[in-house]
């Protein structure tokens, strides 16, 4: 019989024994000796070492794969310079694996520039957090020194700028100065029969004749005729009307006028109450009753011409478009990394519900092209929603009506869980959870103008030990919210510590019959099974999908997938192809695809192959120590150095430009 050194209880089975907080269990007869310090030194050293690993938060790997930082980078650098560095196979095992030391590897430390270390008031051992706000932002078009005029790309049309045009018009001169092609086949030409980027495509030789004409595949073009692969693009006419503020918001104005009238009546009643009955009493009760009645009463509808049902009958909640959220796997809206190509990758692996990145309602109302790009929907996304952020009823209601009339979506989500200061200090994101009156007005206003379900994403609260979600959820049920997503952490916690699934269980019971999705710390199908036992309607997956997008397949098939490095490279290749289709196959599109791929790799490098783990599964809060993979490519993908991610991108998108610089968005994701 064995007893855990920490809990001093007996694990029930070998599984419990192996997963008991990573602590070595000892026989009962030796427990007293252990407490008195009478056990031999080797056991004490082992216990101390195991405890040290748990404090560090590192994953438990098989000892034959562990190595040191210096040996790891020496192997990765030497393998990349070698002749077979690009073509490592699963059967090739590194020589370092045989000589891997059994002892505990050195603690991983982030590389910090001396200047940054001097500027920082924190001690050297303090972990770097937050964003790289001062990182360089190079525009993708800066990599193209000599650009070809659009008139030449579009079948030699006449340039409207004439001699004043600053771009090249000579195809031969452009092709002579253009960087070498990345590959021999163009994904756009092979898929659609025509590449819209013509000579500027980085795979131009695949569809260009010797006289610099762009070839077309008539059969493929006919097959894809009338096919709209991406929806919700911002039309030029709508953009101009938004900039001129000439877009009409009839339903929004109707609701906002009701709010204004209610506010005036409330103030009048309050003034009358103070003057007539300074002690309060029955007058105050009647005032509240009148105010409630005025809120429920809708203003008369003014019509011109024949009356229709839509003019006088408001759409009831049960008559809106319905979405079945029950038992679905929901890919969270992820800023920066949750772009359309990444969502396509996750859809292939089995994600049921996808949502666009968080969009600012004010930017959408101003017609900003970059913000509207976050609403784009691919044809493969069968259940798709958009997430908007705002802090005032007028802008959020108008934004909801704008999306309802001009975008094809299945639901609209309110972000009430964003923890960043830029959003929170304005009253948006988590700030809405403490502004319940504004929150109510926003939800009711958006419900008034939407024909699709309205969902809300929240956290447990703002302060770490002061949960307020359980107070909000019953109110949101009254406000006709169609679905609630709860992230089991507060704003102060951000992504530290573990998500509170016990609290999510309590909230799911309060939310019934409204569906409630749980979110937090899901990285394996075992985590998902435990989450479903809490009674939630579904699961939202965020960082787990970034670390391993095949998690959706694992959950649906209830297995651990020991995916090979070549299969992971194929996943990245699919992403690069989807990126070239979405952002373009010219130099600008290639570098934009590369940048988003590198941001994704800053999370994907945390994945540890199942075959290397000493304890399965890997936990999301466990960082990998330095280890050697089963082949060179697996070792390269394990590197947390940004320079090694660039090497992986070069295997798919060709060499980087001379002036290319990359730093990850989050400081904790990589060292320089």
């Amino acid at each position: 019989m064995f007893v855990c050194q920490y809990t001093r209880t007996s694990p029930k089975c070998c599984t419990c024994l192996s997963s008991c907080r990573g602590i070595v269990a000892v026989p009962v007869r030796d427990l007293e000796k252990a407490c008195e310090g009478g056990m031999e030194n080797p056991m004490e050293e082992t216990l101390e070492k195991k405890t040290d690993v748990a404090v560090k938060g590192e994953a438990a790997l098989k000892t034959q794969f562990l190595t040191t930082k210096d040996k790891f980078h020496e192997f990765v650098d030497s393998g990349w310079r070698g002749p077979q560095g690009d073509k490592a196979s699963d059967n090739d095992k590194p020589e370092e694996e045989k000589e891997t030391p059994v002892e505990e590897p050195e603690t991983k430390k982030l590389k910090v520039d001396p200047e940054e270390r001097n500027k920082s008031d924190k001690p050297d051992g303090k972990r770097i957090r937050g964003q790289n706000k001062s990182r360089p932002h190079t525009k993708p078009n800066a990599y193209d020194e000599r650009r070809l005029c659009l008139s030449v790309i579009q079948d030699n049309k006449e340039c409207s700028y004439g001699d004043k045009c600053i771009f090249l018009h000579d195809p031969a001169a452009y092709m002579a100065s253009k960087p070498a092609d990345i590959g021999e086949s163009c994904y756009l030409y092979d898929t659609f029969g025509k590449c819209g980027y013509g000579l500027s495509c980085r795979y131009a030789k695949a569809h260009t004749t010797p006289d610099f004409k762009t070839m077309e595949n008539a059969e493929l073009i006919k097959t894809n005729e009338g096919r709209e692969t991406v929806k919700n693009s911002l039309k030029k006419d709508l953009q101009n009307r938004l900039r001129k503020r000439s877009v009409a918001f009839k339903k929004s104005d109707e609701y906002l006028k009701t709010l204004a009238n209610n506010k005036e009546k409330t103030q009048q009643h309050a003034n009358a109450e103070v003057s007539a009955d300074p002690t309060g009493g029955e007058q105050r009760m009647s005032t509240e009753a009148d105010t409630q009645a005025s809120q429920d009463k809708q203003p008369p509808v003014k019509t011109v011409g024949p009356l229709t049902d839509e003019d006088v009958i408001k759409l009831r909640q049960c008559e809106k478009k319905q979405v079945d959220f029950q038992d679905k796997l929901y890919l969270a809206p992820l800023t920066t990394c949750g772009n359309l190509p990444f969502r396509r990758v996750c859809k292939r692996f089995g994600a049921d519900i996808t949502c666009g990145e968080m969009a600012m309602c004010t930017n959408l109302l101003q017609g900003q092209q970059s913000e509207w790009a976050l609403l784009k929907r691919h044809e493969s996304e069968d259940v798709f929603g958009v997430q908007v952020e705002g802090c005032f009823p007028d802008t959020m209601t108008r934004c909801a009506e704008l999306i309802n009339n001009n975008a094809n979506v299945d639901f609209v989500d309110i972000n009430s869980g964003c923890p960043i200061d830029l959003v929170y200090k304005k009253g948006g994101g988590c700030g809405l959870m403490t502004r319940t009156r504004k929150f109510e007005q926003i939800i009711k206003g958006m419900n008034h103008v939407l024909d699709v379900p309205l969902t809300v994403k929240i956290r447990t609260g703002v302060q770490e030990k002061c949960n307020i979600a359980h107070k909000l959820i019953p109110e949101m049920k009254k406000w006709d919210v169609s679905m609630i997503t709860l992230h089991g952490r507060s704003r102060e916690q951000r992504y530290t510590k573990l998500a509170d699934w016990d609290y999510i269980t309590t909230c799911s019971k309060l939310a019934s019959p409204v569906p409630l999705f749980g979110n937090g710390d899901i990285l394996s199908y075992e985590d998902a099974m435990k989450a479903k036992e809490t009674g939630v309607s579904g699961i939202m997956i965020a960082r787990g999908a970034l670390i391993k997008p095949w998690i959706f397949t694992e959950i649906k098939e209830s297995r651990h997938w020991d995916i090979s490095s070549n299969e992971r490279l194929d996943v990245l290749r699919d992403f690069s192809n989807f990126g070239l289709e979405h952002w373009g196959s010219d130099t600008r599109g290639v570098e934009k695809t590369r940048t988003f791929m590198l941001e994704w790799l800053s999370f994907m490098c945390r994945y540890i192959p199942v075959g290397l783990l000493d304890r399965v599964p890997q936990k999301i809060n466990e960082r990998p120590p330095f280890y050697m993979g089963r082949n060179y490519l697996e070792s390269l993908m394990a590197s947390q150095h940004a320079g090694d991610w660039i090497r992986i991108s070069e295997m798919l998108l060709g060499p980087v430009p001379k002036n290319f610089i990359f730093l990850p968005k989050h400081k904790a994701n990589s060292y320089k």
Side-chain angles (χ1 to χ4, degrees):
M1 184 177 180
F2 291 86
V3 173
C4 176
Q5 286 277 27
Y6 267 33
T7 62
R8 297 195 178 183
T9 58
S10 176
K12 296 180 180 178
C13 61
C14 58
T15 306
C16 302
L17 180 64
S18 61
S19 62
C20 187
R21 299 181 61 179
I23 307 302
V24 175
V26 298
V28 175
R29 61 179 178 272
D30 295 331
L31 180 59
E32 296 180 1
K33 295 181 180 180
C35 296
E36 297 173 359
M39 290 191 68
E40 297 180 358
N41 292 334
M43 178 61 75
E44 291 180 356
E45 292 177 1
T46 306
L47 177 61
E48 184 180 353
K49 195 174 295 183
K50 292 282 184 180
T51 306
D52 191 32
V53 173
V55 172
K56 293 176 186 175
E58 290 184 351
L61 269 72
K62 295 177 181 178
T63 54
Q64 64 264 32
F65 296 105
L66 295 174
T67 186
T68 60
K69 178 179 69 174
D70 295 335
K71 288 185 178 181
F72 174 82
H73 287 295
E74 181 183 352
F75 172 73
V76 170
D77 294 340
S78 62
W80 181 258
R81 289 193 295 267
Q84 297 181 354
D86 298 338
K87 300 180 180 179
S89 63
D90 288 341
N91 298 324
D92 298 333
K93 298 221 174 183
E95 296 180 1
E96 291 289 343
E97 185 177 315
K98 301 177 182 178
E99 303 176 359
T100 302
V102 179
E103 66 270 6
E104 190 66 29
E106 298 177 6
T107 305
K108 184 181 297 184
K109 295 181 180 179
L110 300 174
K111 292 183 179 179
V112 185
D113 288 344
E115 297 179 0
E116 290 186 10
R117 185 172 293 175
N118 294 335
K119 292 178 183 178
S120 176
D121 297 331
K122 298 180 181 179
D124 294 343
K126 190 78 173 179
R127 183 178 170 185
I128 298 177
R129 299 182 186 276
Q131 295 185 6
N132 280 315
K133 295 182 180 179
S134 59
R135 62 186 180 137
H137 291 277
T138 307
K139 293 183 178 181
N141 56 8
Y143 301 120
D144 230 350
E145 296 179 358
R146 306 184 69 187
R147 297 173 62 187
L148 194 64
C149 181
L150 191 62
S151 63
V152 181
I153 297 175
Q154 297 176 344
D155 302 327
N156 291 321
K157 293 182 180 179
E158 185 178 354
C159 180
S160 58
Y161 294 94
D163 297 334
K164 295 181 180 180
C165 183
I166 61 174
F167 300 115
L168 292 175
H169 291 80
D170 185 2
Y174 173 77
M175 295 298 287
S177 62
K178 179 187 170 186
D181 278 5
I182 297 172
E184 297 179 355
S185 62
C186 176
Y187 176 77
L188 299 183
Y189 178 74
D190 295 340
T191 306
F192 302 102
K194 180 181 179 180
C195 178
Y197 295 90
L199 297 176
S200 63
C201 175
R202 292 297 301 274
Y203 306 84
K205 289 182 180 179
H207 49 73
T208 304
T209 61
D211 57 344
F212 306 115
K213 300 292 183 182
T214 302
M215 296 187 297
E216 296 182 2
N217 187 330
E219 184 177 348
L220 278 175
I221 292 175
K222 187 177 180 180
T223 303
N224 292 285
E225 188 177 358
R227 178 185 172 190
E228 187 182 7
T229 57
V230 178
K231 303 174 183 177
N232 300 343
S233 298
L234 177 61
K235 298 178 181 178
K236 203 66 181 176
D237 174 60
L238 177 61
Q239 186 180 35
N240 292 333
R241 288 191 292 121
L242 286 171
R243 288 176 175 176
K244 295 176 181 178
R245 298 185 180 181
S246 59
V247 177
F249 299 99
K250 295 181 180 179
K251 290 185 178 181
S252 300
D253 293 341
E254 174 188 325
Y255 174 77
L256 295 171
K257 187 176 180 181
T258 306
L259 280 183
N261 293 338
N262 292 341
K263 187 176 180 181
E264 290 178 2
K265 290 180 180 179
T266 304
Q267 291 176 350
Q268 291 175 2
H269 282 297
N271 295 335
E273 178 185 338
V274 172
S275 59
D277 186 8
T279 59
E282 296 181 359
Q283 182 73 21
R284 181 175 301 172
M285 293 176 61
S286 63
T287 301
E288 293 178 357
D290 293 343
T291 304
Q292 184 65 31
S294 63
Q295 288 179 351
D296 296 336
K297 186 179 179 181
Q298 298 294 333
V301 180
K302 296 180 180 179
T303 59
V304 177
L307 279 173
T308 63
D309 289 344
E310 293 180 357
D311 291 326
V312 294
I313 301 176
K314 181 184 175 183
L315 203 63
R316 292 185 297 175
Q317 186 71 18
C318 62
E319 295 174 332
K320 290 187 176 183
K321 178 180 178 180
Q322 298 297 310
V323 177
D324 182 17
F325 294 108
Q326 196 69 30
D327 294 327
K328 294 291 194 298
L329 295 178
Y330 186 174
L331 173 64
L334 302 163
T335 306
T336 304
C337 292
N339 45 65
L340 187 144
F342 176 75
R343 297 199 303 269
R344 289 183 64 182
V345 171
C346 292
K347 282 298 295 183
R348 283 193 169 188
F349 283 114
D352 297 316
I353 304 173
T354 55
C355 186
E357 302 173 62
M358 180 186 74
M360 303 285 188
C361 66
T362 51
N363 295 345
L364 292 173
L365 291 171
Q366 292 170 3
Q368 292 187 15
Q369 183 73 44
S370 58
E371 208 73 18
W372 274 83
L374 305 178
L375 308 185
K376 288 185 177 180
R377 173 184 189 172
H378 190 261
E379 62 180 358
S380 63
E381 299 180 273
D382 47 355
V383 182
F384 173 77
V386 295
Q387 187 183 72
V388 293
E389 180 279 324
C391 48
F392 298 107
D394 54 346
T395 53
M396 288 289 278
T397 306
R398 291 191 179 104
C399 181
E401 185 174 1
L402 182 67
I403 292 172
N404 190 71
N405 296 336
N406 299 281
N408 182 356
V409 297
D410 297 309
F411 64 92
V412 176
D413 186 64
I414 300 175
N415 187 326
S416 184
C418 183
I420 62 174
D421 294 338
L422 179 67
V423 174
Y424 175 75
K425 289 182 178 179
K426 293 189 300 182
C430 283
L432 281 177
M433 296 183 68
T434 58
R435 303 166 67 228
T436 51
R437 187 173 179 181
K438 290 290 183 187
F439 202 6
E440 177 185 2
Q441 292 173 351
I442 288 172
I443 291 176
K444 288 186 175 180
M446 294 179 73
N447 256 329
H448 181 75
V449 301
L450 283 174
D451 297 333
V452 295
L454 180 67
T455 65
V456 179
K457 186 175 186 294
I458 60 175
R459 284 180 175 250
T460 59
V462 178
Q463 284 78 26
E464 184 174 349
K465 297 181 180 179
C466 185
N467 296 335
I468 59 174
H470 64 282
K471 299 178 183 178
L472 273 176
I473 288 173
E475 296 298 321
M476 287 192 283
K477 288 170 62 177
K478 299 176 184 176
W479 303 337
D480 291 332
V481 169
S482 298
M483 192 263 282
I484 303 168
T485 305
L486 177 59
H487 184 180
R489 292 184 178 88
S490 64
R491 176 183 179 267
E492 284 185 352
Q493 285 179 270
R494 296 292 178 97
Y495 300 97
T496 60
K497 300 185 180 179
L498 297 176
D500 190 351
W501 277 91
D502 292 333
Y503 184 67
I504 294 176
T505 304
T506 304
C507 292
S508 67
K509 295 175 182 177
L510 292 173
S512 182
V514 175
L516 186 138
F517 274 54
N519 173 226
D521 299 340
I522 296 175
L523 191 61
S524 66
Y525 86 87
E526 292 181 6
D527 297 332
M529 293 302 106
K530 290 179 182 177
K532 288 182 179 179
E533 291 174 0
T534 62
V536 294
S537 303
I539 301 169
M540 174 182 277
I541 303 175
R543 287 180 298 163
L546 292 174
I547 295 172
K548 50 182 230 185
W550 52 92
I551 185 175
F552 301 102
T553 303
E554 288 188 347
I555 293 172
K556 290 191 172 182
E557 298 180 1
S558 299
R559 67 183 178 97
H560 295 296
W561 184 357
D562 190 8
I563 187 170
S564 68
S565 56
N566 287 329
E567 287 176 310
R568 281 193 279 163
L569 188 65
D570 289 338
V571 173
L572 292 172
R573 183 174 287 109
D574 288 340
F575 176 84
S576 64
N577 289 334
F578 297 155
L580 295 174
E581 180 184 340
H582 185 59
W583 291 302
S585 59
D586 57 349
T587 300
R588 182 176 182 177
V590 167
E591 298 312 319
K592 201 164 187 178
T593 303
R594 189 195 307 275
T595 301
F596 284 107
M597 179 186 290
L598 293 172
E599 290 286 359
W600 179 21
L601 283 170
S602 69
F603 287 92
M604 204 175 183
C605 66
R606 302 182 192 178
Y607 171 73
I608 304 174
V610 175
L612 276 61
L613 288 169
D614 191 32
R615 173 178 51 79
V616 178
Q618 177 189 358
K619 298 296 182 181
I620 202 167
N621 60 328
E622 293 177 342
R623 288 297 187 103
F626 287 102
Y627 68 91
M628 291 293 185
R630 291 165 291 189
N631 57 55
Y632 173 76
L633 183 57
E634 196 167 74
S635 300
L636 182 64
M637 288 182 168
S639 176
Q640 296 196 24
H641 196 289
D644 293 327
W645 306 338
I646 294 176
R647 292 175 176 177
I648 296 173
S649 74
E650 289 180 330
M651 297 169 66
L652 302 169
L653 297 171
V656 297
K658 294 180 181 179
N659 55 342
F660 183 83
I661 300 175
F662 173 77
L663 279 177
K665 184 177 180 180
H666 299 283
K667 292 179 181 178
N669 279 14
S670 173
Y671 51 85
K672 299 177 184 178

